[in-house]
Amino acid sequence: IEYKHTWARNVINVLRIAALTLINFSDDPLQHSNDFLADGKKLLKKDIEESGRFKASVYCFFFSFVAYIFCNYDYARDLTKTRWKIEKGLHLRYMVNEASYFDALLSIALAQRTKEDEWQKHALECYEKVRRNIDVMPHRILIMETEMDVMMGQTKDAIGNYDKAINAAKESELIHEEAIANERAGDFCLSQGDVRASNYYGKAYNLYLQWGAEGKADNLKKKSL
C-alpha cells in the first residue's frame, strides 16, 4: 500500500511540475530559473538508479511532452531517447498511443531541423504505430500525414491539409492538440513567407490560453513577434 501511495505522489508531482511550467508559475521552488527539465533529470537519475524504471519512463513521457510543447527539441530528444532505452526492458508501457503520437511529432520536428535520416525513420515508425490503433483520433492521422509531407518537401496541399487537421482537432475537443495543429501551420507559413502565419499563431495563442497554458502562450507570442 505504501508503495502505491508513493507511486501516486510521485506521478502527481511530475504532473504538477509539468502543469506549473505550462502556466509559467515561476515562483515554484522546483522551477528555479524555469529549468524544470533539470529537476526532471534529477528525478529520472534517482529512479533509474533505484530500479524504478517504469516510473522513470512515465517521467520521461511527461517531461518530453512539455519540452515539445515549448519547442525545446533538444531536451525532448534526450528524454525521449532515455525513455526508449528504459522501455526496452519493460513489459508494461505507459500511455503507448499518446507516446507514439508525440514521438512522431517530435521526430518530424527533429528531421526537419537536423536533416538526419534517423529521425525520418523514427517518424515513419511512430506514424505506423499510431495508424494501426483502431481507436486513433482522425486529427492525429491528419496532422502527422501533413507534417510528414512537409518533412519530405511535398508542400503543395499543405495549407489545406493543415486546415483539415485543425478542424478535426476542434471536433475532438482536445484544445491543446488544436493549438499544436495551428502552431505547426503557423510554422509552415512562416517558413514559406506566407502572411497567414500570424493568423494561425493568433489562433494557437488563444487556444493555449483557453487550455490554461499561459506560459506557453507567452512563449509563442515571443516566438511569433
Side-chain angles (χ1 to χ4, degrees):
I1 294 174
E2 178 60 28
Y3 170 80
K4 290 181 179 179
H5 287 172
T6 301
W7 159 247
R9 284 196 300 270
N10 288 337
V11 171
I12 289 171
N13 190 42
V14 170
L15 291 171
R16 177 174 174 273
I17 295 171
L20 289 175
T21 302
L22 288 167
I23 65 175
N24 199 28
F25 193 80
S26 58
D27 60 346
D28 182 86
L30 288 176
Q31 293 188 78
H32 182 65
S33 301
N34 288 325
D35 194 4
F36 83 103
L37 288 166
D39 296 294
K41 288 182 177 180
K42 290 177 185 176
L43 290 172
L44 281 170
K45 186 174 185 295
K46 181 174 181 293
D47 281 314
I48 291 171
E49 289 173 351
E50 295 175 356
S51 298
R53 301 181 69 81
F54 177 70
K55 184 166 60 175
S57 73
V58 175
Y59 288 178
C60 282
F61 170 70
F62 283 113
F63 287 129
S64 62
F65 165 73
V66 175
Y68 172 80
I69 290 287
F70 277 92
C71 303
N72 289 336
Y73 298 132
D74 289 339
Y75 278 121
R77 176 202 62 209
D78 292 347
L79 291 165
T80 298
K81 281 188 169 182
T82 299
R83 195 190 87 241
W84 289 345
K85 184 177 179 180
I86 291 169
E87 288 179 343
K88 288 181 179 179
L90 293 178
H91 297 294
L92 178 64
R93 297 184 181 181
Y94 187 75
M95 297 182 72
V96 175
N97 296 328
E98 284 74 12
S100 294
Y101 174 58
F102 284 105
D103 286 355
L105 294 183
L106 172 62
S107 297
I108 291 166
L110 289 168
Q112 292 175 326
R113 183 181 179 190
T114 67
K115 310 302 181 186
E116 294 177 1
D117 292 341
E118 171 193 4
W119 291 108
Q120 286 192 16
K121 180 181 177 182
H122 281 311
L124 291 170
E125 289 174 350
C126 294
Y127 165 73
E128 287 299 327
K129 287 180 184 178
V130 176
R131 192 176 64 83
R132 288 196 297 266
N133 176 18
I134 60 173
D135 296 321
V136 65
M137 299 175 187
H139 74 274
R140 291 185 171 180
I141 296 296
L142 289 168
I143 190 64
M144 285 189 297
E145 290 180 344
T146 304
E147 287 276 86
M148 285 193 295
D149 283 346
V150 172
M151 176 183 74
M152 302 300 292
Q154 300 170 8
T155 61
K156 181 181 178 181
D157 300 317
I159 293 296
N161 290 333
Y162 275 119
D163 286 338
K164 290 177 184 177
I166 289 165
N167 290 333
K170 185 174 184 178
E171 290 179 7
S172 75
E173 299 183 348
L174 291 174
I175 295 172
H176 63 296
E177 296 196 21
E178 184 184 351
I180 291 169
N182 273 282
E183 185 176 359
R184 294 291 84 81
D187 290 343
F188 171 74
C189 287
L190 186 65
S191 72
Q192 302 298 305
D194 190 323
V195 296
R196 287 174 289 184
S198 60
N199 180 53
Y200 287 112
Y201 283 140
K203 289 179 179 178
Y205 175 83
N206 290 329
L207 287 163
Y208 283 125
L209 285 179
Q210 188 179 344
W211 188 39
E214 295 178 10
K216 169 57 188 177
D218 288 343
N219 172 267
L220 177 59
K221 188 175 181 179
K222 292 173 184 176
K223 164 186 166 181
S224 58
L225 286 177

